[in-house]
């Protein structure tokens, strides 16, 4: 549903909306986020205020990964900070790995859908958690269409697990 927010009748007259996950603790004035729309540069449609925390196996606790975390450092693409060539499944690598065509398919689809190759190192990792969406810019950029194209690509190529929202998180 979140990918169709600009087209929900109740929101159709709004120019922006704040999306909040149900597990957040708000520690500041939400008005500041609402007013952040005026600071968005052209071609940008969201302000994500949720920090990225990841489970640390070594510490058995959540660890702050910083505001500058990228998809290359995340588990979302099975890269987890490794060079792409170290992510392929093999006799000694059966978890946190990808098939031999994964990166080729992902790049091909990124060019088809986004008009550019995927660059995990420069793609910021983000979380829907607390996000201001500029609904006018969302429509102008046709992001729902983009999401639907990624859904079709995933159905055809099985790039991500069927339960994943990965292709909806900015890929």
């Amino acid at each position: 549903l979140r990918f169709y927010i600009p087209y929900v009748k109740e929101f159709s007259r709004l120019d922006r909306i704040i999306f909040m996950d149900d597990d957040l603790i708000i520690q500041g004035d939400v008005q500041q986020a609402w007013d952040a729309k005026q600071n968005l540069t052209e071609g940008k449609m969201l302000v994500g205020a949720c920090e990225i925390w990841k489970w640390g196996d070594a510490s058995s606790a959540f660890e702050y990964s910083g505001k500058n975390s990228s998809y290359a450092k995340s588990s979302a693409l099975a890269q987890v900070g490794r060079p792409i060539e170290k992510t392929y499944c093999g006799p000694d690598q059966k978890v946190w790995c990808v098939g031999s065509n994964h990166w080729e398919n992902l790049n091909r689809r990124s060019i088809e859908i986004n008009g550019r190759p995927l660059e995990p190192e420069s793609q910021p990792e983000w979380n829907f958690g607390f996000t201001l969406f500029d609904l006018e810019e969302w429509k102008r950029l046709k992001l729902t269409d983009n999401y639907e194209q990624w859904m079709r690509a995933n159905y055809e190529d099985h790039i991500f697990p069927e339960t994943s929202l990965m292709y909806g998180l900015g890929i």
Side-chain angles (χ1 to χ4, degrees):
L1 179 63
R2 71 179 85 184
F3 300 103
Y4 297 92
I5 287 173
Y7 303 101
V8 173
K9 183 180 177 185
E10 288 77 9
F11 304 136
S12 63
R13 292 189 200 154
L14 299 175
D15 69 333
R16 64 192 132 173
I17 192 167
I18 294 178
F19 181 92
M20 290 184 256
D21 280 345
D22 62 357
D23 60 349
L24 293 180
I25 298 172
I26 306 300
Q27 297 180 321
D29 185 353
V30 176
Q31 183 69 45
Q32 289 177 331
W34 186 256
D35 294 341
K37 181 184 179 208
Q38 62 209 28
N39 297 325
L40 284 172
T41 56
E42 187 175 338
K44 304 293 182 188
M45 52 69 61
L46 69 83
V47 175
C50 233
E51 302 294 342
I52 303 294
W53 291 77
K54 298 179 188 170
W55 184 256
D57 288 329
S59 65
S60 295
F62 283 99
E63 300 170 351
Y64 179 64
S65 64
K67 293 180 180 181
N68 298 319
S69 185
S70 72
Y71 280 127
K73 297 174 187 171
S74 80
S75 60
L77 295 177
Q79 202 171 345
V80 199
R82 302 175 292 175
I84 286 175
E85 53 277 357
K86 301 268 188 190
T87 64
Y88 296 110
C89 295
D92 299 326
Q93 179 79 17
K94 297 193 187 298
V95 294
W96 289 108
C97 61
V98 296
S100 60
N101 294 329
H102 177 80
W103 296 107
E104 181 182 328
N105 285 343
L106 195 52
N107 264 318
R108 178 177 51 84
R109 290 300 191 155
S110 183
I111 291 168
E112 287 173 13
I113 297 168
N114 299 337
R116 64 186 183 285
L118 179 69
E119 297 174 345
E121 299 80 17
S122 64
Q123 176 66 42
E125 181 181 25
W126 68 283
N127 182 322
F128 270 105
F130 185 95
T131 308
L132 169 74
F133 292 112
D134 179 333
L135 300 181
E136 295 167 338
E137 195 68 7
W138 180 313
K139 290 175 189 175
R140 190 186 74 73
L141 294 170
K142 300 180 179 175
L143 294 180
T144 299
D145 293 341
N146 183 285
Y147 169 70
E148 289 177 345
Q149 289 178 60
W150 274 109
M151 282 180 46
R152 277 191 293 283
N154 197 56
Y155 175 77
E156 293 168 3
D157 294 350
H158 307 287
I159 300 168
F160 304 106
E162 299 296 324
T163 57
S164 173
L165 291 176
M166 189 61 225
Y167 39 85
L169 292 177
I171 294 272

